[in-house]
Amino acid sequence: MTTRPIIELSDSEFKLAKEKASELVKFFRPKIEATGKSGSHIQDTKERLERLADDQITGQVAQLAGTLYLTGTDHVYRMQRWVSMLHPHLGDGGYDIPGLQLDFKGSRLKGGRKPHDYKMLVRPQERKPEWCYALAVVDISSDKAKAYMMGWFSDEEIKCKPQSSGLFAGAHVISIEQLHPLPTLNWVL
């Protein structure tokens, strides 16, 4: 089995991710409540509202961990989040790191499962030519967070059709075995 890098967030980094997730919850909750639309492919409105905070922290930990992995610092994450929150209704366009065609996909580690049990989902509307997608499986406890950096896949390599039924209906589903492993980077700064 291939060893995958693990990024453990410091207390201050985890606090930062929670703050940024909270900003997104404050923006999206009233919109979901007003429209009655979940904006999710797998959650109805009630479930989306119940899970909104958990979903946002999962995404922010994945993005911050990926940024820390690639840059060694949270500065780029802070800038990216600031720019994204200027127009949060537009999203970040898949630019989790400004100027880099890379979109981190986060999944929350749950109930006795292992990081290798997960799959990366890419929805057709998220796809972009010459883009890469990386999967971070996020493990969060009340006071700690870490992300297993499971690997990456290019848009050109997505050959499977979107699933036609089931939980992941409409998504391209890429298994861990198909992902290219990320190397272990050792930042010494």
Side-chain angles (χ1 to χ4, degrees), residues 108-119 168:
R108 184 79 165 261
L109 190 62
K110 295 180 183 166
R113 294 181 68 193
K114 296 183 171 122
H116 285 82
D117 295 338
Y118 287 77
K119 298 177 181 350
F168 304 133

Side-chain angles (χ1 to χ4, degrees), residues 70-118:
L70 288 173
T71 69
T73 179
D74 67 12
H75 298 321
V76 173
Y77 171 81
R78 289 174 184 274
M79 288 187 295
Q80 191 277 351
R81 293 311 317 149
W82 180 79
V83 170
S84 290
M85 290 309 293
L86 291 175
H87 305 285
H89 59 287
L90 297 177
D92 62 18
Y95 283 106
D96 285 339
I97 295 178
L100 183 62
Q101 293 175 313
L102 175 67
D103 190 0
F104 288 106
K105 303 295 181 185
S107 288
R108 184 79 165 261
L109 190 62
K110 295 180 183 166
R113 294 181 68 193
K114 296 183 171 122
H116 285 82
D117 295 338
Y118 287 77

Side-chain angles (χ1 to χ4, degrees), residues 18-35:
K18 287 193 264 190
E19 288 170 0
K20 298 307 172 187
S22 179
E23 289 176 3
L24 289 164
V25 169
K26 287 177 186 168
F27 176 78
F28 285 115
R29 183 173 300 283
K31 304 245 180 275
I32 295 167
E33 290 170 340
T35 65

Side-chain angles (χ1 to χ4, degrees), residues 48-61:
R48 179 70 172 149
L49 288 168
E50 289 170 358
R51 292 179 44 180
L52 186 60
D54 283 344
D55 291 347
Q56 294 304 322
I57 190 62
T58 298
Q60 291 309 302
V61 168

